[in-house]
Amino acid sequence: MAAAIGSLPEKRPLVDLILSGHAHCFEHLRTLDTKHADSNLNWLVCGGSGASLRGQRKDEVEVMEISQGGYVQMVARSLLFIGRKGKGRTARSPHTFLRIDVHNGVPPKFVIRPFIVEKLKNKWSSSAIKPFVIQNL
């Protein structure tokens, strides 16, 4: 396998971007140097739709993991999270989708454009979130 992949610069991940869904939220995660194959990866989870969205939390959340040895370590940072907000009449349930523009190069540059659609007071509205760039150097 290593011969097929070739050598990568230090801290260069095996993949440039991982896309996932079905998490009932939108999230951009970046793994840290875990000393394993999952080091320095960008993950985009776009599963923010449906009635059972996960509750909103702050961005820049540290993602912790308990190792087999029993110690806790930070393995990733959540850079953007969009989920359900409020309760009752103030409840907001944003449904999310993405547009990703890929710019050619080595490594490629991804311009991520998240969008939100939600129903407030029986009226649908849409909005865009400020685009951000992912490029593994």
Side-chain angles (χ1 to χ4, degrees):
M1 177 77 164
I5 295 172
S7 62
L8 295 171
E10 190 175 327
K11 296 196 178 197
R12 176 90 166 90
L14 285 174
V15 296
D16 293 301
L17 181 63
I18 298 170
L19 302 173
S20 177
H22 194 73
H24 301 275
C25 65
F26 172 87
E27 188 162 23
H28 174 208
L29 293 160
R30 172 95 177 155
T31 59
L32 303 175
D33 184 3
T34 63
K35 309 290 188 237
H36 300 285
D38 64 354
S39 293
N40 306 306
L41 298 176
N42 282 288
W43 296 70
L44 289 177
V45 179
C46 192
S49 61
S52 60
L53 295 173
R54 289 198 332 210
Q56 182 75 33
R57 60 177 165 73
K58 294 180 180 179
D59 297 335
E60 295 290 331
V61 170
E62 297 172 346
V63 179
M64 308 302 280
E65 175 181 272
I66 300 175
S67 71
Q68 290 181 347
Y71 63 92
V72 177
Q73 66 180 10
M74 186 169 76
V75 294
R77 183 172 298 282
S78 177
L79 302 173
L80 176 62
F81 185 94
I82 300 168
R84 185 184 71 246
K85 282 185 177 179
K87 294 182 179 182
R89 297 189 62 75
T90 62
R92 300 190 71 165
S93 295
H95 304 275
T96 57
F97 63 97
L98 290 174
R99 173 180 160 183
I100 302 174
D101 297 321
V102 181
H103 296 256
N104 196 15
V106 178
K109 180 168 86 171
F110 303 94
V111 179
I112 312 299
R113 301 175 195 281
F115 293 88
I116 296 176
V117 177
E118 63 183 323
K119 193 174 188 178
L120 297 169
K121 298 180 183 177
N122 292 325
K123 189 175 183 181
W124 285 97
S125 66
S126 63
S127 59
I129 297 166
K130 184 179 177 181
F132 58 93
V133 173
I134 294 175
Q135 186 171 26
N136 295 314
L137 302 174

